[in-house]
Amino acid sequence: MVDEEPERRRRRRQWIHPIVAQRYRKGQFHSLYKDLRQDPFKFRSYCRMSVEAFDNLLSLLHPHLTFMDTCMRRSISAEQRLIVTLRFLATGNSFASLHFEFLLGISTISGIVCHTCKVIWQHLREAVMPTPKAEDWLRIAEGFYQSAQFPNCIGALDGKHIRVKKPPHSGSRYFNYKQYFSVVLMALADSNYRFVIVDIGAYGSSSDSRIFSASRMGDRLRDNQLALPEPRRLPGSAGPPAPFVIVADEGFALSPHMMRPFPRRDLDDRKRIFNYRLTRARRYVECAFGILSTRWRVFLSSIQMNPDNATLVIQACVLLHNFTRINDASSDADIDQNITSSVIFDQSRTGRPGTAGLAVRDVYADYFCSPEGALSWQMEAIRGSR
């Protein structure tokens, strides 16, 4: 029995696989990266941002992605860590596929992606998605008025279902009305297709209204803690000051600071005009989601991670979306032209709207039909909805 014991022991594994050992000669980073930097178009296609934007991002994250070499092995550089992560987010390729491209271990790639996404969220958030102040809300409202002709609008709100693999022992909590498993990205966007506030990770089975009500964003709005400016008169109007509002679809509850369309039954021209004007402003969040998914194609298929790590990936993509909109806006021109908003009305029950919310909506509806607030083409635009 003693002589047979060594034979029963597990065979010793290799310290490093021979294929992986060729990383410095044949790995995609070491064989392709320098050449890509010489071709701006190819680099943008590969990393989904320009060389200048990449260098700017690397300079911000480099101290937090750098590790020490040891006597056992060389550390993976900050540049390679960022390239591997961007490539995963840009393609949605599996870790096994990236393993053969970069000649890094599968578990190593998994660790790199999760750690880098966490670093992006921790150290890029304040630079590209800071907590809005009163002057920021005024700037956003001016943007909506100039681009969508909707005054006193501080953002367009909607939720996007991000497909994930079914978490074990989760029952139907992540199973949404579209018949797949998801977590929800709830986002408030401005007229430049940038995300202002986000809430990430809610169960896919929950309605938009419930998610917003339970979110920190919803709590702060109800408690008047968003530092919103004081109500002001609508442009050209002599009426009472109107509060600053968020525009949303039918899936959200009406309130003094949240505007949703009139119900689609018994619509007259006044209500149709309001719905048309609201939809023109609300499309910006729809387009922002479209740009996000077009650039970071990890969203085009199911994210094969547990919900916590999937949330890290979504957080990183949201900040990288804002980062490229700010630092690399020219590269978004082609993407913007191919994005169209798809308006899907959520039929979730949200309860009876409050009297204050109804009164505010009436103020805006009356203004859009008045000489001061009417658009010359709005009657022509609503004819098809009759």
Side-chain angles (χ1 to χ4, degrees), residues 2-145:
V2 176
D3 295 335
E4 295 177 0
E5 186 66 23
E7 297 180 2
R8 295 180 181 178
R9 293 178 181 174
R10 189 176 182 179
R11 293 183 61 185
R12 185 171 183 175
R13 294 182 177 180
Q14 298 168 322
W15 176 252
I16 183 171
H17 194 280
I19 294 178
V20 177
Q22 303 179 67
R23 176 170 73 246
Y24 296 102
R25 292 189 297 109
K26 298 183 178 180
Q28 200 169 95
F29 175 79
H30 296 280
S31 62
L32 189 61
Y33 175 66
K34 291 183 179 179
D35 293 333
L36 282 174
R37 290 185 64 91
Q38 304 305 313
D39 189 322
F41 179 79
K42 293 293 185 182
F43 188 92
R44 176 178 287 119
S45 177
Y46 188 82
C47 292
R48 312 304 287 169
M49 63 180 66
S50 66
V51 177
E52 295 77 13
F54 175 83
D55 290 341
N56 188 9
L57 179 64
L58 181 63
S59 66
L60 294 172
L61 304 180
H62 191 279
H64 313 287
L65 296 178
T66 303
F67 293 82
M68 294 179 59
D69 294 335
T70 69
C71 59
M72 304 295 290
R73 65 179 68 193
R74 293 164 58 184
S75 64
I76 299 171
S77 68
E79 278 181 301
Q80 186 171 4
R81 287 174 175 273
L82 187 55
I83 286 288
V84 168
T85 302
L86 292 178
R87 195 62 185 153
F88 169 73
L89 300 179
T91 63
N93 288 349
S94 66
F95 294 149
S97 177
L98 295 174
H99 157 69
F100 291 109
E101 294 175 13
F102 291 94
L103 300 184
L104 293 166
I106 295 176
S107 60
T108 302
I109 291 176
S110 175
I112 287 173
V113 169
C114 292
H115 176 259
T116 305
C117 287
K118 187 175 182 179
V119 167
I120 290 172
W121 180 253
Q122 291 176 342
H123 301 283
L124 194 62
R125 183 178 180 181
E126 192 59 33
V128 301
M129 198 174 65
T131 301
K133 300 178 182 178
E135 54 269 25
D136 298 318
W137 294 124
L138 290 172
R139 175 184 50 80
I140 293 171
E142 181 62 23
F144 272 103
Y145 183 61

Side-chain angles (χ1 to χ4, degrees), residues 287-305:
C287 292
F289 286 147
I291 295 170
L292 176 74
S293 299
T294 301
R295 180 179 293 279
W296 307 111
R297 299 187 177 184
V298 68
F299 295 126
L300 299 185
S301 60
S302 177
I303 300 178
Q304 299 299 304
M305 293 177 162

Side-chain angles (χ1 to χ4, degrees), residues 132-145 148 150-157 187-192 194-197 212 217 220-222 224-232 234 242-248 255-259 281-282 284-285 364:
K133 300 178 182 178
E135 54 269 25
D136 298 318
W137 294 124
L138 290 172
R139 175 184 50 80
I140 293 171
E142 181 62 23
F144 272 103
Y145 183 61
F150 199 111
N152 287 16
C153 177
I154 58 170
L157 179 70
L188 184 71
D190 66 13
S191 60
N192 291 316
R194 300 175 193 165
F195 297 115
V196 180
I197 303 176
F212 180 75
M217 182 184 357
R220 294 176 64 194
L221 182 64
R222 283 192 302 272
N224 294 319
Q225 295 179 351
L226 284 180
L228 298 183
E230 291 297 320
R232 67 179 181 184
L234 301 178
F244 285 81
V245 297
I246 293 170
V247 294
S255 73
H257 292 291
M258 179 77 70
M259 293 292 98
R282 191 178 64 81
Y284 284 92
V285 68
Y364 280 90

